[in-house]
Amino acid sequence: MATTEECRAALEKLSDNMQRAEGDARSAAALDRSVSCHITDLDVTFAGRMAGGRIHVHDTLQGPPREKAQIRLSMTGDDLVALVAGELNFAKAWGAGRVKLHAGMRDLLLLRKLL
C-alpha cells in the first residue's frame, strides 16, 4: 500500500508532467481550478489548485474532502502511483470504477486530453 508521502510525490510528478505538456494537453494543463484528490485507502485528501500548468497542493487533510473542489479525484494510493508512473491506463481505471473523476462538463472534455 502506497504511503501518504508516496502519494504526495506522485502528485508532484503529475504536476511536473503537466508543466511539460504540449499541444491539446497544454490547454488542459492551463486550467485554473480548485482540485482535490482523495486517497481512499489512506483516507487522506490532498487539496489545492491547478494553475499555471501545475498542481499546487495547499493542504493534506485526514478524511474526505471538506469542500467541493471544481475538479475532484478519488482512488487508492497504489492506483495514483501506478497512473502517474504510466503503469495504469486512466480510461480503463475510470471505466472499471477504480478512479473517480468529478468536474464540470467543459473541464471533463479538456481533462481527457491531459489524462
Side-chain angles (χ1 to χ4, degrees):
M1 181 166 79
T3 66
T4 301
E5 293 78 22
E6 289 169 324
C7 292
R8 176 83 184 224
L11 287 172
E12 284 294 321
K13 184 176 179 187
L14 175 60
S15 183
D16 291 344
N17 293 346
M18 288 172 51
Q19 188 73 39
R20 292 189 298 272
E22 296 180 2
D24 288 342
R26 187 162 198 67
S27 63
L31 288 172
D32 184 358
R33 302 285 188 270
S34 59
V35 296
S36 67
C37 182
H38 182 231
I39 307 302
T40 57
D41 55 336
L42 298 174
D43 199 24
V44 169
T45 298
F46 297 97
R49 187 140 202 102
M50 185 172 152
R54 295 196 61 84
I55 298 171
H56 305 276
V57 176
H58 300 295
D59 292 309
T60 304
L61 311 165
Q62 197 62 39
R66 296 192 179 119
E67 296 179 18
K68 186 176 177 182
Q70 292 167 302
I71 298 172
R72 300 176 307 281
L73 286 162
S74 180
M75 69 194 82
T76 67
D78 288 342
D79 284 345
L80 173 63
V81 171
L83 278 169
V84 173
E87 299 166 359
L88 180 63
N89 178 280
F90 178 83
K92 289 181 182 179
W94 179 69
R98 290 173 62 178
V99 174
K100 293 180 176 65
L101 170 64
H102 301 279
M105 185 57 73
R106 183 174 178 269
D107 290 345
L108 286 172
L109 291 172
L110 286 170
L111 288 170
R112 71 185 170 103
K113 297 172 186 172
L114 183 62
L115 301 169

